[in-house]
Amino acid sequence: MKQIKNILAIIGLVAVVSTLIFAVQTDSVDTIEKKETPSNEVKDLDKNVADTYQISAIEIPKDLNFAGEPVPQEDPEIMERVDREFLVNTYWQSNALLIMKRANKYFPIIEPILKKNGIPDDFKYLAVAESGLENVVSPAGATGFWQIMKGTGREYGLEVNDNVDERYHVEKATQVACDYLKKWKERFGTWTLTAAAYNAGPGGIQKYMGIQQVDDYYDLLLGQETGRYVFRILAIKEIIFNRDKYGFQLDEEDMYEKVPTFTVEVDSAVASWADFAELYEINYKVLKRHNPWLREPHLNNASRKKYTIEIPNKGYYRVGSVGR
């Protein structure tokens, strides 16, 4: 028994000594680190992020409208939905910056087509809401800046097949969007409902209007995406138009610009777009960048249809030598 007590005493003594050694070592390391760290860096470690970065609520403009149609801002439920989109789109800074840069490149293409067709200028922001001004494809198959479905594109005169998909053609797709919007403005009467119908489909909007017995977008209870849709467009419009007000600092040299181009016409099959590109001292990638509606490395064109191909002026792209 006495022997057991002695063993336990020894174990306890070892534990105490180990603790003291660890404490001394820790204190020594801290002292060394403090000596090696300049006093100004020690202060920086204690610096509060809020000293240099402020996050605040957004002051909503008092005269919001879409295509000249006022938003019922006296309604608190409406204003909560407006506020959400202003906050999300203001504080998603990287996305907002990219949209502003792209808008400088593509709005000059879209704006005159909208104007020619009598479509309010605000609808260019609908294209932003649909695609972020990129040739994206949705899970449902909607394609391009205006997110046009295959059937709709063909119905409105676009060529859509394996060789060519004109939903990727910004000018032609914008014209189709205008034709579509004009048709449904006649049915719904307001541009706001027409915009909602662009997102949800005219049939869906008609169904909700019938069930709920209302005829105003702001009175409809809609699904998540369409319910946010017009509010998102309103926020995007305001933030892009008044970017300095919302803290976005961009100079002209920061913006994306359209490369000057000329056009050539093709009315026969093209065996290789890569070979075709080489004739104009560009490569396949550059050719496709300017003509994304060309979907394959060749063009069948058995009907000898005339296509207009956009070619960038010389000197704007880095084009390496073609390997053979």
Side-chain angles (χ1 to χ4, degrees):
M1 187 68 175
K2 186 176 181 180
Q3 188 176 5
I4 293 173
K5 288 182 179 180
N6 289 337
I7 292 171
L8 290 174
I10 292 169
I11 292 172
L13 181 61
V14 169
V16 171
V17 171
S18 299
T19 302
L20 289 171
I21 291 171
F22 177 80
V24 170
Q25 288 177 334
T26 302
D27 185 59
S28 299
V29 169
D30 290 343
T31 301
I32 291 169
E33 287 180 347
K34 287 178 181 178
K35 285 180 179 179
E36 291 179 349
T37 305
S39 59
N40 63 328
E41 291 187 18
V42 172
K43 289 178 182 177
D44 286 344
L45 293 175
D46 298 329
K47 197 170 188 178
N48 195 324
V49 173
D51 292 341
T52 56
Y53 182 59
Q54 300 295 322
I55 302 172
S56 62
I58 304 293
E59 183 180 351
I60 307 299
K62 304 296 185 184
D63 57 349
L64 289 178
N65 72 86
F66 176 72
E69 298 171 0
V71 179
Q73 292 179 254
E74 69 281 0
D75 187 320
E77 189 268 344
I78 296 295
M79 288 309 295
E80 284 189 23
R81 293 160 71 187
V82 168
D83 190 51
R84 173 183 181 174
E85 299 309 321
F86 268 77
L87 288 169
V88 168
N89 288 282
T90 299
Y91 288 115
W92 189 6
Q93 294 99 330
S94 59
N95 187 64
L97 283 168
L98 283 169
I99 286 172
M100 291 171 192
K101 287 169 175 275
R102 292 182 196 132
N104 189 71
K105 181 178 180 180
Y106 293 112
F107 276 180
I109 299 172
I110 293 171
E111 288 166 346
I113 301 173
L114 295 177
K115 184 176 181 179
K116 180 186 73 175
N117 285 275
I119 303 297
D121 190 65
D122 280 1
F123 276 89
K124 66 190 181 188
Y125 300 106
L126 182 146
V128 176
E130 285 288 333
S131 66
L133 299 179
E134 291 189 288
N135 273 317
V136 295
V137 181
S138 78
T143 296
F145 277 33
W146 294 93
Q147 290 291 277
I148 298 170
M149 296 296 289
K150 183 183 293 186
T152 303
R154 287 172 173 164
E155 178 186 347
Y156 283 83
L158 294 181
E159 182 177 352
V160 182
N161 54 49
D162 291 340
N163 254 199
V164 170
D165 189 340
E166 291 181 329
R167 293 177 295 170
Y168 292 94
H169 193 297
V170 177
E171 290 90 344
K172 291 186 178 183
T174 302
Q175 182 58 54
V176 166
C178 288
D179 294 340
Y180 186 91
L181 291 166
K182 283 191 291 186
K183 175 181 178 179
W184 292 107
K185 170 62 163 58
E186 291 180 8
R187 164 63 184 85
F188 291 111
T190 69
W191 289 116
T192 308
L193 272 174
T194 302
Y198 194 96
N199 179 256
I205 295 299
Q206 288 176 313
K207 174 184 174 183
Y208 284 121
M209 289 170 64
I211 293 172
Q212 299 175 32
Q213 299 180 27
V214 292
D215 59 2
D216 190 301
Y217 172 80
Y218 298 106
D219 292 327
L220 282 168
L221 178 63
L222 299 166
Q224 172 85 340
E225 183 179 344
T226 310
R228 294 180 60 182
Y229 192 65
V230 171
F231 297 98
R232 185 176 176 217
I233 294 172
L234 290 167
I236 291 169
K237 168 188 169 182
E238 170 66 15
I239 294 163
I240 292 179
F241 190 74
N242 295 303
R243 62 177 186 252
D244 289 346
K245 175 183 174 182
Y246 296 95
F248 294 95
Q249 304 297 318
L250 290 94
D251 297 323
E252 285 305 311
E253 59 264 28
D254 296 323
M255 298 299 193
Y256 301 151
E257 294 184 354
K258 189 177 187 301
V259 170
T261 61
F262 61 95
T263 59
V264 296
E265 291 185 342
V266 171
D267 61 0
S268 60
V270 177
S272 168
W273 284 119
D275 289 341
F276 180 90
E278 189 178 355
L279 296 174
Y280 296 95
E281 299 180 34
I282 57 175
N283 59 28
Y284 179 77
K285 181 186 75 172
V286 171
L287 179 73
K288 287 293 296 290
R289 184 178 293 275
H290 283 269
N291 302 275
W293 50 275
L294 298 172
R295 303 311 297 166
E296 292 188 306
H298 59 272
L299 180 68
N300 295 332
N301 201 13
S303 63
R304 300 187 67 83
K305 179 179 176 179
K306 184 178 292 185
Y307 293 95
T308 300
I309 310 299
E310 187 176 279
I311 306 294
N313 290 356
K314 292 181 180 180
Y316 282 89
Y317 291 104
R318 171 198 172 276
V319 180
S321 59
V322 179
R324 291 293 184 185

